[in-house]
């Protein structure tokens, strides 16, 4: 009997010794990086993820979103590095901000590749390309959990309606500090200036730049960009996916059950977030009405006008396509084409 008691006590010690280091590794707060403010669908998606995780882990894991690039000292293109180093535990980050460190992410910024085709974007993200991109991130120390979305990026400015590349001559356009955008806007004859988003907001308000490019639902509306820019052109020249991700260092210190809870929460929040970012753009004209009501003049391009922009930026597309990798680019082109063919088959007009 005595032997059994001793044995039991020893087993308890061993169990506690095995479990304790895992428990001790948990942090009181996990820091999540978010570049934008909390009221955009982007910010709301991050908060939803944090809330789901807290609830489903019974408060074991508390994720605090730090909005407005607070963890990044304003420098949004540092986000991937911070995540990789574990200075941020989680992020809901834009592929654009990470693209200077992960060349394959430039795929989504190839000028005029996706033509507003959400189905092609979804097909890519859920298919082989999406998996390949997540593997690449994983190998660089960032665990990708789910695809979210900032949206198709549309151009606004304070000077004039943009119908053609000629209308862009000399316009001072704020861009993100990712080299592909410098190339695109130079090819279009504009005068691009790379800036962080918070800085861009004051530059726009002060009239130090004439325009910018960002998605309507996630940025133009919540940031009331009509206060600085009257004109908007829907040219859908680049899609900006977001990624729910964790630092690998943080991830590896979590137990498997919690990893599963977090992965599921990311997928659910991503699903909501993506729909919210597309709200009013795919069916009803909700967001367009908001822009009009606030005095914005909206330009929609004809297929010929669209083509003129595409031709002008073709050298940039070709140059970046070989950097990104032909396999990924061809897969994306095929996805776009198959959506367009399906639409054409149903007799619908191809929107390009
Ligand atoms: O800086 C931008 O334009 C923004 C907010 O869309 C990104 O973070 C890529």
């Amino acid at each position: 009997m005595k032997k059994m008691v001793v044995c039991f006590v020893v087993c308890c010690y061993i169990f506690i010794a095995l479990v304790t280091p895992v428990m001790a590794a948990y942090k009181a707060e996990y820091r999540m990086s978010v570049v934008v403010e909390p009221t955009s669908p982007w910010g709301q998606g991050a908060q939803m993820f944090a809330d789901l995780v807290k609830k489903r882990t019974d408060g074991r894991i508390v994720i605090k979103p730090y909005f407005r690039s607070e963890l990044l000292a304003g420098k949004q293109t540092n986000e991937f590095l911070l995540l990789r180093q574990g200075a941020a535990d989680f992020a809901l980050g834009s592929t654009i901000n990470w693209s200077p460190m992960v060349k394959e992410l430039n795929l989504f910024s190839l000028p005029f590749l996706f033509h507003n085709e959400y189905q092609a974007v979804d097909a890519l993200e859920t298919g082989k390309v999406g998996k390949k991109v997540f593997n690449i991130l994983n190998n660089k120390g960032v665990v990708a959990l789910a695809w979210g979305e900032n949206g198709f990026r549309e151009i606004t400015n304070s000077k004039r309606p943009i119908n053609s590349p000629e209308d862009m001559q000399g316009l001072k356009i704020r861009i993100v500090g990712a080299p592909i955008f410098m190339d695109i806007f130079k090819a279009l004859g504009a005068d691009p200036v790379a800036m962080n988003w918070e800085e861009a907001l004051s530059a726009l308000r002060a009239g130090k730049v004439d325009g910018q490019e960002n998605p309507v639902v996630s940025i133009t509306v919540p940031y009331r960009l009509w206060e600085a820019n009257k004109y908007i052109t829907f040219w859908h020249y680049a899609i900006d996916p977001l990624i729910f991700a964790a630092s690998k260092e943080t991830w590896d210190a979590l137990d498997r059950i919690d990893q599963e809870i977090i992965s599921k929460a990311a997928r659910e929040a991503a699903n909501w977030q993506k729909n919210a970012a597309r709200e009013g753009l795919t069916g009803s004209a909700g967001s367009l009405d908001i822009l009009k009501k606030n005095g914005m003049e909206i330009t929609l391009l004809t297929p010929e006008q669209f083509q003129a922009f595409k031709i002008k930026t073709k050298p940039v597309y070709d140059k970046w396509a070989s950097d990104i990798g032909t396999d990924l680019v061809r897969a994306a082109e095929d996805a776009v084409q198959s959506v367009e063919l399906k639409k054409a088959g149903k007799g619908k007009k191809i929107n390009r």
Side-chain angles (χ1 to χ4, degrees):
M1 181 67 187
K2 204 178 159 195
K3 249 189 186 170
M4 270 175 71
V5 172
V6 172
C7 195
F8 176 73
V9 171
V10 170
C11 285
C12 285
Y13 273 120
I14 293 173
F15 177 76
I16 290 166
L18 283 174
V19 169
T20 307
V22 176
M23 304 289 276
Y26 275 37
K27 301 180 186 178
E29 177 193 293
Y30 289 85
R31 309 199 303 170
M32 178 172 194
S33 175
V34 186
V35 164
V36 295
E37 49 120 31
T39 62
S40 64
W42 181 347
Q44 288 170 321
Q47 189 63 56
M48 174 184 272
F49 168 67
D51 291 346
L52 284 174
V53 171
K54 187 174 176 191
K55 192 166 157 220
R56 292 178 185 169
T57 59
D58 299 318
R60 271 195 309 286
I61 298 176
V62 178
I63 299 174
K64 180 170 188 263
Y66 285 78
F67 296 102
R68 302 187 190 86
S69 300
E70 213 189 313
L71 290 182
L72 310 168
K75 194 161 179 347
Q76 63 201 61
T77 46
N78 272 350
E79 192 171 59
F80 191 78
L81 196 66
L82 258 75
L83 205 49
R84 194 176 187 170
Q85 293 168 340
D89 299 294
F90 293 93
L92 174 52
S94 157
T95 44
I96 292 178
N97 293 330
W98 298 359
S99 65
M101 298 207 62
V102 189
K103 68 177 170 50
E104 291 82 0
L105 293 178
N106 286 293
L107 173 70
F108 304 100
S109 309
L110 279 177
F112 305 99
L113 165 59
F114 286 98
H115 333 126
N116 219 16
E117 298 292 8
Y118 287 111
Q119 276 169 273
V121 173
D122 290 342
L124 269 186
E125 290 173 355
T126 53
K128 269 193 215 142
V129 171
K131 284 196 186 77
K132 182 157 185 205
V133 170
F134 276 16
N135 279 339
I136 292 166
L137 297 176
N138 201 24
N139 291 336
K140 288 182 188 281
V142 170
V143 180
L145 303 170
W147 292 95
E149 193 161 279
N150 189 13
F152 276 103
R153 299 177 72 94
E154 318 292 5
I155 188 159
T156 69
N157 85 99
S158 59
K159 299 285 184 208
R160 52 183 172 262
I162 295 173
N163 293 289
S164 67
E166 289 69 47
D167 294 328
M168 296 196 58
Q169 290 303 310
L171 284 183
K172 204 162 182 178
I173 304 291
R174 175 271 172 176
I175 53 163
V176 186
I180 189 169
F181 292 100
M182 201 41 96
D183 289 353
I184 296 170
F185 284 83
K186 279 192 178 154
L188 290 169
D191 178 10
V193 202
M195 263 180 215
N196 291 303
W197 181 236
E198 293 298 317
E199 218 186 314
L201 285 166
S202 35
L204 282 162
R205 286 185 197 125
K208 287 190 184 144
V209 292
D210 302 318
Q212 62 85 49
E213 44 70 61
N214 249 302
V216 170
V217 182
S218 303
I219 304 288
T220 309
V221 173
Y223 282 96
R224 306 175 61 83
L225 293 187
W226 47 76
E227 288 171 358
N229 283 179
K230 182 178 168 58
Y231 304 100
I232 181 163
T233 295
F234 280 72
W235 64 348
H236 338 297
Y237 85 118
I239 181 73
D240 181 4
L242 303 177
I243 298 178
F244 287 76
S247 168
K248 193 157 167 32
E249 202 181 298
T250 303
W251 190 252
D252 289 344
L254 299 172
D255 73 39
R256 211 143 43 96
I257 293 171
D258 287 334
Q259 288 178 347
E260 271 162 30
I261 292 173
I262 294 172
S263 297
K264 191 160 176 274
R267 287 196 299 273
E268 280 177 38
N271 195 23
W272 177 87
Q273 193 278 327
K274 234 184 190 190
N275 285 328
R278 294 175 184 184
E279 186 74 40
L281 289 178
T282 43
S284 68
S287 294
L288 301 199
D289 285 345
I290 296 173
L291 301 182
K292 273 188 215 151
K293 258 189 219 136
N294 285 286
M296 279 193 119
E297 200 178 303
I298 300 175
T299 302
L300 304 174
L301 300 177
T302 64
E304 293 74 28
Q305 287 172 326
F306 181 88
Q307 212 52 30
F309 284 100
K310 203 170 171 174
I311 292 167
K312 200 87 184 177
T313 50
K314 175 87 168 42
V316 180
Y317 185 109
D318 292 343
K319 174 187 154 200
W320 280 87
S322 62
D323 273 15
I324 293 161
T326 332
D327 284 359
L328 288 189
V329 177
R330 290 290 104 81
E333 289 169 347
D334 289 349
V336 173
Q337 217 187 11
S338 75
V339 171
E340 292 187 338
L341 285 174
K342 244 188 240 162
K343 280 190 183 173
K346 283 182 192 154
K348 278 193 190 162
K349 184 173 162 279
I350 299 178
N351 177 25
R352 48 183 308 178

